[in-house]
């Protein structure tokens, strides 16, 4: 059941550094208006550096992607058309929730968003015939510093929805498993990430 809220809600997920934002949607016969992003309501600093837009057909699975820290790349993700199952994975080596994943439904009804800290893995699968996803990012895309973990890795065990045949890019198909990425030293360090979060300049922002 979709939540209809009277004030914006920013709630932490079970992974340190990940949140779900539920905005107030003002709707009438003409359509709807909402505040899709407000930096002053975020639980951490977010310096916008790049905006990405992806358009995906049903079943397209993008991820699990992450960037080296520092500087990493925090993301604020929303689905402006259609519906996707958004996934956050703790890929930070040494984290107490290492390997844990959580899902958030992003769609064009509730208009929720996910806020994802640097060092966390991110991906989504398209549930509707087509979906448009907007990512606000704190750092520009830098190919040499971008990595991935295979989204269908049995060790991760992400519960992708049944009845949706995943469609992966060749790059994501070739991504290492979680164990392989850890052994190769590709994954961010939890301690390094915590130090980076603390340096963002807002006391307790990532606690």
């Amino acid at each position: 059941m979709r939540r209809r809220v009277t004030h914006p809600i920013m709630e932490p997920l079970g992974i340190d550094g990940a949140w779900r934002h539920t905005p107030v949607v003002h709707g009438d016969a003409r359509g709807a208006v909402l505040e899709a992003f407000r930096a002053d309501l975020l639980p951490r600093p977010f310096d916008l550096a790049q905006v990405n837009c992806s358009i995906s057909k049903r079943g397209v699975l993008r991820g699990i992607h992450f960037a080296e820290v520092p500087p990493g790349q925090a993301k604020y993700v929303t689905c402006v058309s259609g519906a996707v199952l958004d996934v956050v994975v703790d890929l930070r080596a040494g984290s107490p929730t290492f390997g844990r994943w959580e899902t958030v439904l992003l769609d064009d009804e509730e208009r929720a968003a996910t806020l994802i800290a640097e060092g966390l893995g991110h991906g989504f699968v398209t549930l509707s015939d087509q979906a448009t996803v907007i990512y606000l990012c704190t750092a520009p895309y830098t190919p040499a510093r971008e990595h991935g973990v295979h989204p269908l890795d049995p060790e991760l065990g992400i519960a992708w929805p049944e009845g949706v045949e995943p469609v992966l890019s060749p790059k994501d198909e070739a991504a290492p498993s979680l164990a392989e990425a850890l052994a190769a030293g590709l994954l961010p360090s939890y301690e390094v990430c915590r130090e980076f979060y603390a340096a963002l300049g807002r006391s307790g922002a990532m606690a």
Side-chain angles (χ1 to χ4, degrees), residues 150-207:
H150 202 292
L152 304 180
D153 177 11
E155 182 179 350
L156 275 178
I158 297 172
W160 299 106
E162 296 181 2
V164 179
E165 186 66 27
V167 180
L168 278 64
S169 70
K171 181 179 178 180
D172 289 341
E173 283 277 16
S177 67
L178 180 66
E180 290 169 341
L182 179 62
L186 293 177
L187 301 181
S189 158
Y190 181 64
E191 289 306 315
V192 170
C193 287
R194 293 289 295 179
E195 292 171 3
F196 182 81
Y197 303 155
L200 291 176
R202 186 177 296 174
S203 177
M206 304 296 294

Side-chain angles (χ1 to χ4, degrees), residues 17-18 73-77 86 88 114-118 120-122:
Q73 188 187 63
K75 298 175 182 177
Y76 183 90
V77 185
D86 207 48
V88 182
T114 48
L115 174 61
I116 303 162
E118 298 86 350
L120 297 178
H122 172 256

Side-chain angles (χ1 to χ4, degrees), residues 83-136:
V84 303
L85 186 68
D86 207 48
V87 178
V88 182
V89 184
D90 193 346
L91 299 178
R92 300 166 300 188
S95 168
T97 55
F98 177 72
R100 181 184 296 179
W101 52 268
E102 295 212 22
T103 63
V104 177
L105 176 65
L106 305 181
D107 62 20
D108 55 14
E109 293 184 33
E110 193 174 32
R111 306 285 182 180
T114 48
L115 174 61
I116 303 162
E118 298 86 350
L120 297 178
H122 172 256
F124 70 82
V125 64
T126 305
L127 304 177
S128 51
D129 289 340
Q130 182 171 288
T132 301
V133 174
I134 299 293
Y135 317 63
L136 309 185

Side-chain angles (χ1 to χ4, degrees), residues 20-38:
R20 181 187 195 274
H21 175 242
T22 306
V24 178
V25 180
H26 304 278
D28 58 25
R30 299 169 298 166
V33 174
L34 67 146
E35 294 179 340
F37 174 83
R38 275 186 54 176

